[in-house]
mmCIF file of all heavy atoms in Angstrom:
data_model
loop_
_atom_site.group_PDB
_atom_site.id
_atom_site.type_symbol
_atom_site.label_atom_id
_atom_site.label_comp_id
_atom_site.label_asym_id
_atom_site.label_seq_id
_atom_site.Cartn_x
_atom_site.Cartn_y
_atom_site.Cartn_z
ATOM 1 N N ALA L 1 73.700 135.786 -95.306
ATOM 2 C CA ALA L 1 72.789 134.685 -94.962
ATOM 3 C C ALA L 1 71.348 135.176 -94.859
ATOM 4 O O ALA L 1 70.429 134.517 -95.365
ATOM 5 C CB ALA L 1 73.226 134.021 -93.660
ATOM 6 N N ASP L 2 71.144 136.321 -94.232
ATOM 7 C CA ASP L 2 69.785 136.872 -94.122
ATOM 8 C C ASP L 2 69.265 137.332 -95.482
ATOM 9 O O ASP L 2 68.079 137.182 -95.782
ATOM 10 C CB ASP L 2 69.748 138.027 -93.121
ATOM 11 C CG ASP L 2 69.879 137.569 -91.682
ATOM 12 O OD1 ASP L 2 69.660 136.373 -91.403
ATOM 13 O OD2 ASP L 2 70.211 138.420 -90.830
ATOM 14 N N GLN L 3 70.138 137.884 -96.305
ATOM 15 C CA GLN L 3 69.728 138.284 -97.644
ATOM 16 C C GLN L 3 69.251 137.062 -98.431
ATOM 17 O O GLN L 3 68.215 137.105 -99.098
ATOM 18 C CB GLN L 3 70.884 138.986 -98.370
ATOM 19 C CG GLN L 3 71.193 140.346 -97.787
ATOM 20 C CD GLN L 3 72.492 140.944 -98.290
ATOM 21 O OE1 GLN L 3 73.234 140.328 -99.064
ATOM 22 N NE2 GLN L 3 72.793 142.157 -97.841
ATOM 23 N N GLN L 4 69.979 135.971 -98.329
ATOM 24 C CA GLN L 4 69.595 134.755 -99.046
ATOM 25 C C GLN L 4 68.258 134.219 -98.543
ATOM 26 O O GLN L 4 67.408 133.822 -99.332
ATOM 27 C CB GLN L 4 70.677 133.683 -98.914
ATOM 28 C CG GLN L 4 70.443 132.522 -99.845
ATOM 29 C CD GLN L 4 70.273 131.203 -99.143
ATOM 30 O OE1 GLN L 4 70.243 131.137 -97.916
ATOM 31 N NE2 GLN L 4 70.150 130.155 -99.916
ATOM 32 N N ARG L 5 68.063 134.226 -97.230
ATOM 33 C CA ARG L 5 66.817 133.716 -96.647
ATOM 34 C C ARG L 5 65.600 134.534 -97.086
ATOM 35 O O ARG L 5 64.524 133.991 -97.293
ATOM 36 C CB ARG L 5 66.899 133.715 -95.118
ATOM 37 C CG ARG L 5 67.431 132.434 -94.539
ATOM 38 C CD ARG L 5 67.243 132.364 -93.028
ATOM 39 N NE ARG L 5 68.017 133.354 -92.296
ATOM 40 C CZ ARG L 5 69.301 133.233 -91.998
ATOM 41 N NH1 ARG L 5 69.965 132.166 -92.374
ATOM 42 N NH2 ARG L 5 69.917 134.175 -91.310
ATOM 43 N N GLU L 6 65.756 135.850 -97.201
ATOM 44 C CA GLU L 6 64.608 136.711 -97.475
ATOM 45 C C GLU L 6 64.391 137.035 -98.956
ATOM 46 O O GLU L 6 63.329 137.521 -99.332
ATOM 47 C CB GLU L 6 64.729 138.003 -96.666
ATOM 48 C CG GLU L 6 64.570 137.725 -95.175
ATOM 49 C CD GLU L 6 64.323 138.984 -94.372
ATOM 50 O OE1 GLU L 6 63.816 139.982 -94.930
ATOM 51 O OE2 GLU L 6 64.647 138.966 -93.184
ATOM 52 N N ALA L 7 65.368 136.754 -99.787
ATOM 53 C CA ALA L 7 65.219 137.040 -101.220
ATOM 54 C C ALA L 7 64.233 136.066 -101.855
ATOM 55 O O ALA L 7 64.096 134.924 -101.422
ATOM 56 C CB ALA L 7 66.572 136.925 -101.914
ATOM 57 N N ARG L 8 63.566 136.527 -102.887
ATOM 58 C CA ARG L 8 62.706 135.651 -103.680
ATOM 59 C C ARG L 8 63.634 134.796 -104.553
ATOM 60 O O ARG L 8 64.446 135.334 -105.315
ATOM 61 C CB ARG L 8 61.772 136.490 -104.550
ATOM 62 C CG ARG L 8 60.674 135.679 -105.212
ATOM 63 C CD ARG L 8 59.617 136.554 -105.884
ATOM 64 N NE ARG L 8 60.143 137.287 -107.035
ATOM 65 C CZ ARG L 8 60.395 138.586 -107.070
ATOM 66 N NH1 ARG L 8 60.164 139.355 -106.018
ATOM 67 N NH2 ARG L 8 60.863 139.156 -108.153
ATOM 68 N N PRO L 9 63.566 133.475 -104.448
ATOM 69 C CA PRO L 9 64.478 132.611 -105.222
ATOM 70 C C PRO L 9 64.351 132.839 -106.725
ATOM 71 O O PRO L 9 63.261 133.085 -107.242
ATOM 72 C CB PRO L 9 64.025 131.201 -104.851
ATOM 73 C CG PRO L 9 63.326 131.348 -103.538
ATOM 74 C CD PRO L 9 62.667 132.695 -103.592
ATOM 75 N N VAL L 10 65.487 132.760 -107.389
ATOM 76 C CA VAL L 10 65.550 132.898 -108.840
ATOM 77 C C VAL L 10 66.369 131.725 -109.369
ATOM 78 O O VAL L 10 67.458 131.439 -108.848
ATOM 79 C CB VAL L 10 66.244 134.227 -109.232
ATOM 80 C CG1 VAL L 10 66.483 134.307 -110.725
ATOM 81 C CG2 VAL L 10 65.449 135.417 -108.753
ATOM 82 N N ALA L 11 65.855 131.054 -110.394
ATOM 83 C CA ALA L 11 66.621 129.977 -111.028
ATOM 84 C C ALA L 11 67.868 130.569 -111.671
ATOM 85 O O ALA L 11 67.824 131.672 -112.239
ATOM 86 C CB ALA L 11 65.760 129.279 -112.075
ATOM 87 N N LEU L 12 68.972 129.851 -111.595
ATOM 88 C CA LEU L 12 70.219 130.354 -112.157
ATOM 89 C C LEU L 12 70.090 130.602 -113.659
ATOM 90 O O LEU L 12 70.759 131.486 -114.202
ATOM 91 C CB LEU L 12 71.360 129.386 -111.854
ATOM 92 C CG LEU L 12 71.680 129.231 -110.364
ATOM 93 C CD1 LEU L 12 72.760 128.183 -110.164
ATOM 94 C CD2 LEU L 12 72.092 130.561 -109.750
ATOM 95 N N THR L 13 69.219 129.882 -114.316
ATOM 96 C CA THR L 13 68.992 130.082 -115.746
ATOM 97 C C THR L 13 68.181 131.344 -116.024
ATOM 98 O O THR L 13 68.083 131.768 -117.175
ATOM 99 C CB THR L 13 68.258 128.878 -116.360
ATOM 100 O OG1 THR L 13 67.026 128.686 -115.652
ATOM 101 C CG2 THR L 13 69.117 127.622 -116.265
ATOM 102 N N GLN L 14 67.606 131.943 -114.984
ATOM 103 C CA GLN L 14 66.774 133.140 -115.134
ATOM 104 C C GLN L 14 67.416 134.388 -114.525
ATOM 105 O O GLN L 14 66.733 135.391 -114.302
ATOM 106 C CB GLN L 14 65.401 132.905 -114.476
ATOM 107 C CG GLN L 14 64.628 131.750 -115.065
ATOM 108 C CD GLN L 14 64.299 131.981 -116.530
ATOM 109 O OE1 GLN L 14 63.844 133.043 -116.914
ATOM 110 N NE2 GLN L 14 64.551 130.972 -117.352
ATOM 111 N N LEU L 15 68.715 134.340 -114.248
ATOM 112 C CA LEU L 15 69.396 135.489 -113.648
ATOM 113 C C LEU L 15 69.253 136.739 -114.513
ATOM 114 O O LEU L 15 69.373 136.672 -115.738
ATOM 115 C CB LEU L 15 70.879 135.197 -113.468
ATOM 116 C CG LEU L 15 71.274 134.363 -112.260
ATOM 117 C CD1 LEU L 15 72.754 133.999 -112.337
ATOM 118 C CD2 LEU L 15 70.965 135.087 -110.976
ATOM 119 N N ALA L 16 69.024 137.852 -113.846
ATOM 120 C CA ALA L 16 68.956 139.156 -114.504
ATOM 121 C C ALA L 16 69.852 140.121 -113.733
ATOM 122 O O ALA L 16 70.066 139.949 -112.527
ATOM 123 C CB ALA L 16 67.511 139.665 -114.508
ATOM 124 N N PRO L 17 70.402 141.136 -114.412
ATOM 125 C CA PRO L 17 71.218 142.109 -113.700
ATOM 126 C C PRO L 17 70.473 142.674 -112.487
ATOM 127 O O PRO L 17 69.294 143.007 -112.560
ATOM 128 C CB PRO L 17 71.464 143.194 -114.758
ATOM 129 C CG PRO L 17 71.425 142.427 -116.051
ATOM 130 C CD PRO L 17 70.326 141.420 -115.849
ATOM 131 N N GLY L 18 71.175 142.723 -111.371
ATOM 132 C CA GLY L 18 70.588 143.184 -110.113
ATOM 133 C C GLY L 18 70.237 142.056 -109.167
ATOM 134 O O GLY L 18 70.058 142.288 -107.971
ATOM 135 N N ASP L 19 70.122 140.833 -109.681
ATOM 136 C CA ASP L 19 69.873 139.690 -108.800
ATOM 137 C C ASP L 19 71.099 139.453 -107.924
ATOM 138 O O ASP L 19 72.228 139.799 -108.301
ATOM 139 C CB ASP L 19 69.592 138.419 -109.619
ATOM 140 C CG ASP L 19 68.235 138.439 -110.284
ATOM 141 O OD1 ASP L 19 67.348 139.209 -109.860
ATOM 142 O OD2 ASP L 19 68.058 137.674 -111.256
ATOM 143 N N LEU L 20 70.880 138.850 -106.782
ATOM 144 C CA LEU L 20 71.985 138.509 -105.894
ATOM 145 C C LEU L 20 72.352 137.045 -106.091
ATOM 146 O O LEU L 20 71.478 136.197 -106.273
ATOM 147 C CB LEU L 20 71.594 138.763 -104.440
ATOM 148 C CG LEU L 20 71.257 140.213 -104.093
ATOM 149 C CD1 LEU L 20 70.927 140.340 -102.606
ATOM 150 C CD2 LEU L 20 72.386 141.153 -104.471
ATOM 151 N N VAL L 21 73.639 136.758 -106.053
ATOM 152 C CA VAL L 21 74.131 135.378 -106.130
ATOM 153 C C VAL L 21 74.831 135.071 -104.813
ATOM 154 O O VAL L 21 75.603 135.885 -104.305
ATOM 155 C CB VAL L 21 75.051 135.167 -107.349
ATOM 156 C CG1 VAL L 21 74.232 135.109 -108.630
ATOM 157 C CG2 VAL L 21 76.120 136.244 -107.470
ATOM 158 N N PHE L 22 74.518 133.900 -104.265
ATOM 159 C CA PHE L 22 74.960 133.545 -102.918
ATOM 160 C C PHE L 22 75.910 132.355 -102.956
ATOM 161 O O PHE L 22 75.692 131.394 -103.697
ATOM 162 C CB PHE L 22 73.746 133.208 -102.050
ATOM 163 C CG PHE L 22 72.782 134.345 -101.921
ATOM 164 C CD1 PHE L 22 71.625 134.387 -102.678
ATOM 165 C CD2 PHE L 22 73.034 135.401 -101.049
ATOM 166 C CE1 PHE L 22 70.726 135.442 -102.576
ATOM 167 C CE2 PHE L 22 72.152 136.458 -100.937
ATOM 168 C CZ PHE L 22 71.003 136.490 -101.694
ATOM 169 N N PHE L 23 76.930 132.430 -102.105
ATOM 170 C CA PHE L 23 77.981 131.428 -102.078
ATOM 171 C C PHE L 23 78.224 130.928 -100.659
ATOM 172 O O PHE L 23 78.012 131.658 -99.690
ATOM 173 C CB PHE L 23 79.295 132.031 -102.597
ATOM 174 C CG PHE L 23 79.179 132.612 -103.969
ATOM 175 C CD1 PHE L 23 78.806 133.937 -104.139
ATOM 176 C CD2 PHE L 23 79.434 131.846 -105.091
ATOM 177 C CE1 PHE L 23 78.684 134.492 -105.407
ATOM 178 C CE2 PHE L 23 79.318 132.382 -106.362
ATOM 179 C CZ PHE L 23 78.942 133.711 -106.518
ATOM 180 N N SER L 24 78.702 129.701 -100.582
ATOM 181 C CA SER L 24 79.178 129.131 -99.330
ATOM 182 C C SER L 24 80.628 128.731 -99.583
ATOM 183 O O SER L 24 80.895 127.786 -100.333
ATOM 184 C CB SER L 24 78.336 127.913 -98.946
ATOM 185 O OG SER L 24 78.831 127.333 -97.769
ATOM 186 N N ARG L 25 81.559 129.459 -98.976
ATOM 187 C CA ARG L 25 82.982 129.266 -99.256
ATOM 188 C C ARG L 25 83.663 128.518 -98.127
ATOM 189 O O ARG L 25 84.433 129.081 -97.364
ATOM 190 C CB ARG L 25 83.663 130.610 -99.468
ATOM 191 C CG ARG L 25 83.034 131.426 -100.577
ATOM 192 C CD ARG L 25 83.652 132.785 -100.707
ATOM 193 N NE ARG L 25 83.569 133.513 -99.438
ATOM 194 C CZ ARG L 25 84.134 134.691 -99.224
ATOM 195 N NH1 ARG L 25 84.818 135.271 -100.173
ATOM 196 N NH2 ARG L 25 84.009 135.297 -98.074
ATOM 197 N N GLY L 26 83.369 127.243 -98.016
ATOM 198 C CA GLY L 26 84.049 126.431 -97.028
ATOM 199 C C GLY L 26 83.268 126.187 -95.760
ATOM 200 O O GLY L 26 83.688 125.414 -94.915
ATOM 201 N N SER L 27 82.145 126.846 -95.600
ATOM 202 C CA SER L 27 81.302 126.575 -94.444
ATOM 203 C C SER L 27 80.014 125.944 -94.953
ATOM 204 O O SER L 27 79.838 125.755 -96.153
ATOM 205 C CB SER L 27 80.986 127.874 -93.689
ATOM 206 O OG SER L 27 80.183 128.717 -94.486
ATOM 207 N N HIS L 28 79.140 125.617 -94.069
ATOM 208 C CA HIS L 28 77.868 125.026 -94.482
ATOM 209 C C HIS L 28 76.758 126.064 -94.508
ATOM 210 O O HIS L 28 75.591 125.723 -94.507
ATOM 211 C CB HIS L 28 77.494 123.871 -93.542
ATOM 212 C CG HIS L 28 78.466 122.749 -93.623
ATOM 213 N ND1 HIS L 28 78.572 121.942 -94.729
ATOM 214 C CD2 HIS L 28 79.398 122.308 -92.756
ATOM 215 C CE1 HIS L 28 79.512 121.051 -94.539
ATOM 216 N NE2 HIS L 28 80.037 121.257 -93.343
ATOM 217 N N ARG L 29 77.139 127.329 -94.546
ATOM 218 C CA ARG L 29 76.149 128.400 -94.579
ATOM 219 C C ARG L 29 76.566 129.414 -95.629
ATOM 220 O O ARG L 29 77.720 129.450 -96.057
ATOM 221 C CB ARG L 29 76.044 129.080 -93.221
ATOM 222 C CG ARG L 29 77.328 129.722 -92.753
ATOM 223 C CD ARG L 29 77.196 130.424 -91.406
ATOM 224 N NE ARG L 29 78.457 131.007 -91.016
ATOM 225 C CZ ARG L 29 78.936 132.164 -91.452
ATOM 226 N NH1 ARG L 29 78.259 132.885 -92.305
ATOM 227 N NH2 ARG L 29 80.093 132.618 -91.030
ATOM 228 N N VAL L 30 75.620 130.213 -96.062
ATOM 229 C CA VAL L 30 75.934 131.275 -97.016
ATOM 230 C C VAL L 30 76.819 132.298 -96.309
ATOM 231 O O VAL L 30 76.477 132.798 -95.239
ATOM 232 C CB VAL L 30 74.631 131.919 -97.546
ATOM 233 C CG1 VAL L 30 74.927 133.205 -98.295
ATOM 234 C CG2 VAL L 30 73.891 130.937 -98.428
ATOM 235 N N ASP L 31 77.971 132.586 -96.915
ATOM 236 C CA ASP L 31 78.896 133.539 -96.306
ATOM 237 C C ASP L 31 79.461 134.546 -97.309
ATOM 238 O O ASP L 31 80.382 135.290 -97.003
ATOM 239 C CB ASP L 31 80.028 132.808 -95.592
ATOM 240 C CG ASP L 31 80.836 131.914 -96.514
ATOM 241 O OD1 ASP L 31 80.576 131.897 -97.734
ATOM 242 O OD2 ASP L 31 81.735 131.220 -96.021
ATOM 243 N N HIS L 32 78.873 134.575 -98.500
ATOM 244 C CA HIS L 32 79.327 135.544 -99.499
ATOM 245 C C HIS L 32 78.185 135.829 -100.463
ATOM 246 O O HIS L 32 77.379 134.943 -100.766
ATOM 247 C CB HIS L 32 80.539 135.000 -100.262
ATOM 248 C CG HIS L 32 81.195 136.023 -101.136
ATOM 249 N ND1 HIS L 32 81.770 137.168 -100.647
ATOM 250 C CD2 HIS L 32 81.345 136.080 -102.488
ATOM 251 C CE1 HIS L 32 82.264 137.881 -101.658
ATOM 252 N NE2 HIS L 32 82.015 137.247 -102.785
ATOM 253 N N VAL L 33 78.124 137.069 -100.942
ATOM 254 C CA VAL L 33 77.072 137.492 -101.882
ATOM 255 C C VAL L 33 77.676 138.427 -102.913
ATOM 256 O O VAL L 33 78.609 139.183 -102.618
ATOM 257 C CB VAL L 33 75.882 138.159 -101.140
ATOM 258 C CG1 VAL L 33 76.328 139.400 -100.378
ATOM 259 C CG2 VAL L 33 74.739 138.474 -102.087
ATOM 260 N N GLY L 34 77.152 138.343 -104.126
ATOM 261 C CA GLY L 34 77.534 139.255 -105.185
ATOM 262 C C GLY L 34 76.289 139.735 -105.910
ATOM 263 O O GLY L 34 75.200 139.179 -105.733
ATOM 264 N N ILE L 35 76.450 140.756 -106.729
ATOM 265 C CA ILE L 35 75.348 141.322 -107.503
ATOM 266 C C ILE L 35 75.566 140.952 -108.961
ATOM 267 O O ILE L 35 76.592 141.327 -109.557
ATOM 268 C CB ILE L 35 75.288 142.856 -107.337
ATOM 269 C CG1 ILE L 35 75.137 143.229 -105.862
ATOM 270 C CG2 ILE L 35 74.149 143.437 -108.168
ATOM 271 C CD1 ILE L 35 75.347 144.711 -105.572
ATOM 272 N N TYR L 36 74.623 140.216 -109.527
ATOM 273 C CA TYR L 36 74.760 139.778 -110.914
ATOM 274 C C TYR L 36 74.732 140.994 -111.836
ATOM 275 O O TYR L 36 73.894 141.876 -111.706
ATOM 276 C CB TYR L 36 73.647 138.801 -111.277
ATOM 277 C CG TYR L 36 73.844 138.169 -112.625
ATOM 278 C CD1 TYR L 36 74.907 137.287 -112.854
ATOM 279 C CD2 TYR L 36 73.001 138.462 -113.686
ATOM 280 C CE1 TYR L 36 75.115 136.719 -114.095
ATOM 281 C CE2 TYR L 36 73.202 137.893 -114.935
ATOM 282 C CZ TYR L 36 74.260 137.025 -115.135
ATOM 283 O OH TYR L 36 74.465 136.457 -116.370
ATOM 284 N N ALA L 37 75.689 141.036 -112.779
ATOM 285 C CA ALA L 37 75.826 142.178 -113.675
ATOM 286 C C ALA L 37 75.423 141.852 -115.111
ATOM 287 O O ALA L 37 75.391 142.743 -115.952
ATOM 288 C CB ALA L 37 77.273 142.679 -113.652
ATOM 289 N N GLY L 38 75.102 140.605 -115.382
ATOM 290 C CA GLY L 38 74.783 140.180 -116.732
ATOM 291 C C GLY L 38 75.995 139.564 -117.408
ATOM 292 O O GLY L 38 77.134 139.687 -116.942
ATOM 293 N N SER L 39 75.747 138.855 -118.509
ATOM 294 C CA SER L 39 76.822 138.231 -119.310
ATOM 295 C C SER L 39 77.720 137.311 -118.490
ATOM 296 O O SER L 39 78.919 137.205 -118.761
ATOM 297 C CB SER L 39 77.661 139.300 -120.016
ATOM 298 O OG SER L 39 76.841 140.083 -120.844
ATOM 299 N N GLY L 40 77.161 136.681 -117.450
ATOM 300 C CA GLY L 40 77.930 135.738 -116.645
ATOM 301 C C GLY L 40 78.857 136.375 -115.626
ATOM 302 O O GLY L 40 79.658 135.682 -115.002
ATOM 303 N N LEU L 41 78.747 137.685 -115.432
ATOM 304 C CA LEU L 41 79.605 138.395 -114.481
ATOM 305 C C LEU L 41 78.818 138.832 -113.259
ATOM 306 O O LEU L 41 77.613 139.076 -113.346
ATOM 307 C CB LEU L 41 80.203 139.642 -115.136
ATOM 308 C CG LEU L 41 81.067 139.426 -116.363
ATOM 309 C CD1 LEU L 41 81.457 140.767 -116.965
ATOM 310 C CD2 LEU L 41 82.301 138.603 -116.022
ATOM 311 N N PHE L 42 79.500 138.949 -112.128
ATOM 312 C CA PHE L 42 78.898 139.538 -110.936
ATOM 313 C C PHE L 42 79.905 140.469 -110.291
ATOM 314 O O PHE L 42 81.110 140.390 -110.550
ATOM 315 C CB PHE L 42 78.377 138.469 -109.967
ATOM 316 C CG PHE L 42 79.437 137.637 -109.305
ATOM 317 C CD1 PHE L 42 79.867 137.915 -108.008
ATOM 318 C CD2 PHE L 42 79.991 136.542 -109.948
ATOM 319 C CE1 PHE L 42 80.831 137.145 -107.379
ATOM 320 C CE2 PHE L 42 80.956 135.754 -109.332
ATOM 321 C CZ PHE L 42 81.381 136.054 -108.047
ATOM 322 N N ILE L 43 79.385 141.391 -109.487
ATOM 323 C CA ILE L 43 80.196 142.385 -108.791
ATOM 324 C C ILE L 43 80.160 142.048 -107.312
ATOM 325 O O ILE L 43 79.092 141.759 -106.770
ATOM 326 C CB ILE L 43 79.644 143.798 -109.046
ATOM 327 C CG1 ILE L 43 79.698 144.124 -110.541
ATOM 328 C CG2 ILE L 43 80.410 144.845 -108.230
ATOM 329 C CD1 ILE L 43 78.941 145.376 -110.932
ATOM 330 N N HIS L 44 81.333 142.078 -106.673
ATOM 331 C CA HIS L 44 81.375 141.732 -105.253
ATOM 332 C C HIS L 44 82.563 142.388 -104.570
ATOM 333 O O HIS L 44 83.476 142.892 -105.215
ATOM 334 C CB HIS L 44 81.417 140.207 -105.081
ATOM 335 C CG HIS L 44 82.674 139.565 -105.594
ATOM 336 N ND1 HIS L 44 83.224 138.467 -105.007
ATOM 337 C CD2 HIS L 44 83.484 139.847 -106.649
ATOM 338 C CE1 HIS L 44 84.315 138.092 -105.652
ATOM 339 N NE2 HIS L 44 84.490 138.912 -106.658
ATOM 340 N N ALA L 45 82.489 142.389 -103.248
ATOM 341 C CA ALA L 45 83.594 142.820 -102.404
ATOM 342 C C ALA L 45 84.183 141.532 -101.828
ATOM 343 O O ALA L 45 83.605 140.933 -100.925
ATOM 344 C CB ALA L 45 83.107 143.754 -101.304
ATOM 345 N N ARG L 46 85.275 141.093 -102.390
ATOM 346 C CA ARG L 46 85.790 139.735 -102.135
ATOM 347 C C ARG L 46 86.415 139.564 -100.754
ATOM 348 O O ARG L 46 86.008 138.713 -99.994
ATOM 349 C CB ARG L 46 86.802 139.384 -103.215
ATOM 350 C CG ARG L 46 87.282 137.984 -103.131
ATOM 351 C CD ARG L 46 88.100 137.637 -104.345
ATOM 352 N NE ARG L 46 88.642 136.301 -104.211
ATOM 353 C CZ ARG L 46 89.517 135.812 -105.033
ATOM 354 N NH1 ARG L 46 89.962 136.522 -106.043
ATOM 355 N NH2 ARG L 46 89.984 134.595 -104.843
ATOM 356 N N HIS L 47 87.450 140.307 -100.467
ATOM 357 C CA HIS L 47 88.113 140.207 -99.160
ATOM 358 C C HIS L 47 89.121 141.332 -99.012
ATOM 359 O O HIS L 47 89.391 142.081 -99.955
ATOM 360 C CB HIS L 47 88.768 138.843 -98.931
ATOM 361 C CG HIS L 47 89.814 138.465 -99.948
ATOM 362 N ND1 HIS L 47 91.028 139.085 -100.032
ATOM 363 C CD2 HIS L 47 89.794 137.537 -100.918
ATOM 364 C CE1 HIS L 47 91.735 138.545 -101.003
ATOM 365 N NE2 HIS L 47 91.012 137.613 -101.572
#
């Protein structure tokens, strides 16, 4: 949540490897983050 608040926003159409992608999985707040790897893939520690 803090990473999302402090990151410089990036349009999803402008994603580049190294950008962070933020998710809300069932709550009303950001509770998951991944690192965009390019080609529509991201790297994350799921659970």
Side-chain angles (χ1 to χ4, degrees):
D2 288 342
Q3 290 168 357
Q4 191 240 5
R5 270 191 294 279
E6 292 195 25
R8 191 170 67 253
V10 173
L12 296 176
T13 57
Q14 300 298 313
L15 280 172
D19 288 340
L20 298 182
V21 285
F22 300 101
F23 304 89
S24 178
R25 303 176 303 174
S27 66
H28 296 290
R29 61 179 180 81
V30 168
D31 59 4
H32 190 62
V33 60
I35 302 168
Y36 188 67
S39 302
L41 300 174
F42 68 99
I43 299 169
H44 66 146
R46 186 171 176 189
H47 59 70

